[in-house]
Amino acid sequence: MAAGLPDPKEIEELLLGGELRYNRVDAVRLAGVSREFAGRIWRAFGYPSMPDETIAYTEGDVSALDRLRRLVDDGILDEEGVVRLVRAFGQTMTRLAEWQVNLLRSMLTHDLAETPSAEAVDTVVDIAEKHIGEFEPLVVHAWRRQLAAAGTRALAAAATRDNGDPSGRPMTTVGFADMVSFTQVSRELEEIELARVVEWFEETAADIIATCGGRLVKTLGDEVLFSAATPEIGAEIALTVAAAIQDETEVPDVRVGVAYGPVLPLMGDMFGTTVNLAARLTSLARPGAVVIDGELAARLEGAPGYDVTRIVKRPVRGLGIIQPYVLRRTDPPAP
């Protein structure tokens, strides 16, 4: 341990909210679960494997195992369902935790590659000691908000199926926004400058998607995937993102591809031909432009504020010959 830095064990216990007091055998016995069940749960959470004799678990770990065991015992979920639930939490929280630590480091150093000083680490520890109890409810609040939104979307999708959707899957508007010449830009910029460009792009796209009433499905550095319940919302997101990025001179333009059709929602992501088509349409768009498929074009026909122009049919990998359309505004966006 570097001189002047806090004891890692003390930091770990502070952030875990409890003392490390149990080894693997004790935690399994106290929670009343099998060794195999506990192993699957800890792997799904993303925890490293520990030797049986290592003191690495808190009362919170035992309580979590006990709660999950009761979900199975009460017949709410089977073991596979519990593991999938835990994996969703683990993967989401891993990214959230890394993001938060990097945010704190960026407040203390000008370069994320730079090792924080002992004084800077002490500042972070002091913030954690005084305010972690205030941060924790925000996580639950955000989760409940997103859970309510996801539940509403699921109910809307169920209503669509009841009204005769032949695919049996939710009909969704799906779009990709892809930064132009990102590989070249990544070679020209320093790492910290590139990180700022990507962060600005992701923040701008996320804000627009949320404001318009869509959902940010995932970010891939130079690309974002979004979805919308209606064609009009999807069109508004696509055009607004393209225009906002185009107005920023220090950030490369984006190409946006949008398609409408059935999708398979799975583990917070989306899959299917509609998603693949939206991704392929981005390669057909010029910088700053939005290209859509025939299904979305048909649903936007006659919609006020939008102009849909058919362009030359193109072959795309895995989907054959498709008929793309360019989407533009006919009126300026509402203030």
Side-chain angles (χ1 to χ4, degrees):
M1 182 175 64
L5 292 178
D7 182 352
K9 183 173 182 292
E10 293 180 3
I11 301 301
E12 185 176 12
E13 290 182 340
L14 167 65
L15 297 177
L16 286 172
E19 178 187 356
L20 295 171
R21 57 188 305 181
Y22 301 120
N23 62 28
R24 181 189 183 102
V25 175
D26 292 334
V28 167
R29 175 178 55 80
L30 291 169
V33 299
S34 69
R35 181 186 179 92
E36 292 72 23
F37 179 81
R40 294 192 70 190
I41 293 300
W42 284 326
R43 287 193 297 272
F45 268 128
Y47 302 163
S49 179
M50 295 288 184
D52 283 354
E53 66 276 9
T54 301
I55 303 299
Y57 303 100
T58 68
E59 290 284 359
D61 293 308
V62 174
S63 178
L65 283 176
D66 179 62
R67 286 192 182 96
L68 294 169
R69 174 189 59 78
R70 282 187 276 121
L71 287 177
V72 176
D73 291 347
D74 294 344
I76 298 172
L77 292 172
D78 60 14
E79 185 170 322
E80 291 301 321
V82 165
V83 170
R84 292 176 64 189
L85 175 69
V86 169
R87 183 170 290 113
F89 275 115
Q91 292 179 0
T92 301
M93 293 305 167
T94 295
R95 184 165 186 242
L96 175 61
E98 291 290 343
W99 196 340
Q100 289 171 327
V101 169
N102 286 337
L103 175 62
L104 287 173
R105 289 188 62 181
S106 69
M107 295 167 58
L108 303 171
T109 63
H110 297 294
D111 187 349
L112 289 178
E114 177 185 342
T115 301
S117 65
E119 293 78 10
V121 173
D122 284 338
T123 300
V124 173
V125 172
D126 185 60
I127 291 172
E129 286 179 328
K130 292 180 179 178
H131 300 291
I132 194 168
E134 299 171 11
F135 296 152
E136 187 172 348
L138 296 178
V139 177
V140 178
H141 173 75
W143 171 64
R144 284 186 174 275
R145 270 286 178 180
Q146 294 300 332
L147 189 63
T152 301
R153 287 193 296 268
L155 288 174
T160 301
R161 287 194 294 271
D162 291 342
N163 289 334
D165 170 36
S167 72
R169 293 180 179 178
M171 300 292 285
T172 306
T173 307
V174 181
F176 281 92
D178 181 28
M179 294 177 70
V180 177
S181 304
F182 183 74
T183 301
Q184 179 182 344
V185 171
S186 64
R187 294 194 187 106
E188 296 173 350
L189 296 179
E190 296 291 335
E191 289 182 357
I192 191 65
E193 294 174 334
L194 181 63
R196 290 194 182 106
V197 167
V198 171
E199 183 178 26
W200 185 90
F201 166 61
E202 291 185 352
E203 286 181 352
T204 300
D207 287 350
I208 291 170
I209 292 165
T211 299
C212 292
R215 180 170 82 91
L216 177 63
V217 179
K218 62 182 175 182
T219 61
L220 302 168
D222 63 330
E223 189 175 53
V224 297
L225 169 61
F226 65 87
S227 68
T230 69
E232 291 79 10
I233 292 175
E236 191 61 30
I237 291 171
L239 290 168
T240 306
V241 168
I245 305 299
Q246 197 169 37
D247 288 342
E248 178 56 49
T249 57
E250 297 183 2
V251 176
D253 288 345
V254 295
R255 299 173 296 190
V256 186
V258 194
Y260 179 83
V263 298
L264 173 63
L266 185 63
M267 294 293 288
D269 206 340
M270 288 186 167
F271 302 91
T273 301
T274 304
V275 180
N276 295 337
L277 177 56
R280 300 290 184 268
L281 288 169
T282 61
S283 64
L284 305 182
R286 294 180 177 178
V290 177
V291 172
I292 64 176
D293 74 326
E295 288 292 334
L296 184 56
R299 282 160 176 77
L300 291 175
E301 185 176 358
Y306 303 116
D307 176 70
V308 176
T309 303
R310 184 170 59 186
I311 58 177
V312 177
K313 290 183 179 180
R314 308 284 180 84
V316 296
R317 179 166 53 89
L319 296 173
I321 304 295
I322 64 169
Q323 175 61 72
Y325 297 76
V326 174
L327 177 66
R328 301 183 181 91
R329 291 192 189 280
T330 56
D331 301 312

